[in-house]
């Protein structure tokens, strides 16, 4: 055998080992869940968003960005995460039904499509009509799918409007119950009087496409007041509440 062929096989073997080790790393990651309240501009609790904390046993005190984790694991594993979250929320269904509060679960397009063929998960979803699936703005769907195919899973929210590739033409492809405006866009527009006027006009225009707009990343009293004085429906952010463990949901403030 030629030396070049031997070297190539060794390189392929090393690459395979590295790939296997990386895959094992992501499979070993552990998850915990928190929630962040979303409040209407009148101060009443509208919903809670479920957030994922990801760590690895080798460094349990170091958090792994959830976006990185979900980009590394397979779609079937992402479906398992959604199933896990909904099962936990279902245990607290009395809270959601008693107070008329919604729960939003983050999901990407391919995962939502895969969920359609999971009969066990769909049966569980049917028991929790107060759950909403929150789609990231820069969603990428398989070529043979459309936004209409994923609307079968119930009312959808659009996350982080203003940070990705979506525009108003994308909003016309599917009806979103609520649209979330990213903090980056909110902060950029409130820097100048012209920007503040544009923010108001933007919210008014977005309201034509949905039931209401939620402003993300509200961190100060002034920002909260700006949202309250705008046509926005609700807001979330550190000023209103930091994320807290999901099992403490009964302690959430129903009104600010």
């Amino acid at each position: 055998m030629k030396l070049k062929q031997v070297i190539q096989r060794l390189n392929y073997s090393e690459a395979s080992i590295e790939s296997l080790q990386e895959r094992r790393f992501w499979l070993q990651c552990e998850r915990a869940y928190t929630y962040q309240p979303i409040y209407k501009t009148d101060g009443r609790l509208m919903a809670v968003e479920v957030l994922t904390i990801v760590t690895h046993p080798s460094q349990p005190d170091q958090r792994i960005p959830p976006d990185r984790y979900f980009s590394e694991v397979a779609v079937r594993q992402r479906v398992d995460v959604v199933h896990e979250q909904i099962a936990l929320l279902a245990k607290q269904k009395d809270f959601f039904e008693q107070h008329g509060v919604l729960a939003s679960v983050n999901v990407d397009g391919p995962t939502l499509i895969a969920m359609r063929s999971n009969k066990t998960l769909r049966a569980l979803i049917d028991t929790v009509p107060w759950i909403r699936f929150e789609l990231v703005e820069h969603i990428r769907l398989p070529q043979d799918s459309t936004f209409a195919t994923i609307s079968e899973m119930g009312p959808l929210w659009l996350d982080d409007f203003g940070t990705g590739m979506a525009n108003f033409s994308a909003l016309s492809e599917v009806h979103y119950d609520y649209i979330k405006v990213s903090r980056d866009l909110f902060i950029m527009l409130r820097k100048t009087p012209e920007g503040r006027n544009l923010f108001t006009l933007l919210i008014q225009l977005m309201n034509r496409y949905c039931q209401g707009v939620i402003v993300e990343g509200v961190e100060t009293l002034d920002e909260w007041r700006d949202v309250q004085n705008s046509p926005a429906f609700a807001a979330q952010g550190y000023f209103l509440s930091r994320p807290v463990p999901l099992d403490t949901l009964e302690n959430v403030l129903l009104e600010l």
Side-chain angles (χ1 to χ4, degrees), residues 8-26:
Q8 286 178 335
R9 289 191 177 183
L10 287 174
N11 288 339
Y12 292 152
S13 177
E14 290 175 358
S16 297
I17 292 174
E18 289 179 359
S19 177
L20 182 60
Q21 290 175 336
E22 184 174 1
R23 183 168 178 271
R24 184 181 295 117
F25 173 88
W26 295 111

Side-chain angles (χ1 to χ4, degrees), residues 38 46-49 102-105 107 130-136 154-159 175-180 214 236:
I38 301 171
M46 171 199 175
V48 298
E49 178 184 359
L102 302 175
S104 73
V105 175
V107 66
W130 32 266
I131 280 183
R132 300 293 181 266
F133 293 109
E134 191 171 317
L135 287 165
V136 293
L156 302 175
W157 292 10
L158 180 62
D159 189 25
H175 173 74
Y176 290 100
D177 260 23
Y178 291 92
I179 300 172
K180 285 187 168 184
I214 301 169
Q236 71 182 106

Side-chain angles (χ1 to χ4, degrees), residues 147 161 165-174 209:
F147 277 100
F161 185 89
M165 300 301 292
N167 50 38
F168 283 102
S169 63
L171 301 185
S172 65
E173 296 178 6
V174 63
Y209 292 89

Side-chain angles (χ1 to χ4, degrees), residues 183-213:
R183 173 172 173 78
D184 289 344
L185 180 59
F186 173 50
I187 295 303
M188 180 187 71
L189 291 178
R190 70 187 300 272
K191 288 181 179 178
T192 64
E194 294 80 4
R196 290 172 183 263
N197 290 334
L198 181 58
F199 176 72
T200 298
L201 294 174
L202 177 66
I203 300 300
Q204 290 174 340
L205 182 57
M206 293 174 71
N207 280 334
R208 299 181 183 180
Y209 292 89
C210 64
Q211 293 189 34
V213 174

Side-chain angles (χ1 to χ4, degrees), residues 88-105:
L88 289 172
L89 290 168
K91 293 180 179 180
Q92 305 197 52
K93 62 183 302 182
D94 290 344
F95 169 86
F96 291 101
E97 293 174 352
Q98 178 182 351
H99 300 293
V101 173
L102 302 175
S104 73
V105 175

Side-chain angles (χ1 to χ4, degrees), residues 32-35 50-51 88-89 91-92 95-96 243-252:
Y33 300 108
T34 62
Y35 73 89
V50 179
L51 303 172
L88 289 172
L89 290 168
K91 293 180 179 180
Q92 305 197 52
F95 169 86
F96 291 101
V244 290
L246 188 58
D247 58 9
T248 65
L249 184 60
E250 69 276 2
N251 299 325
V252 67

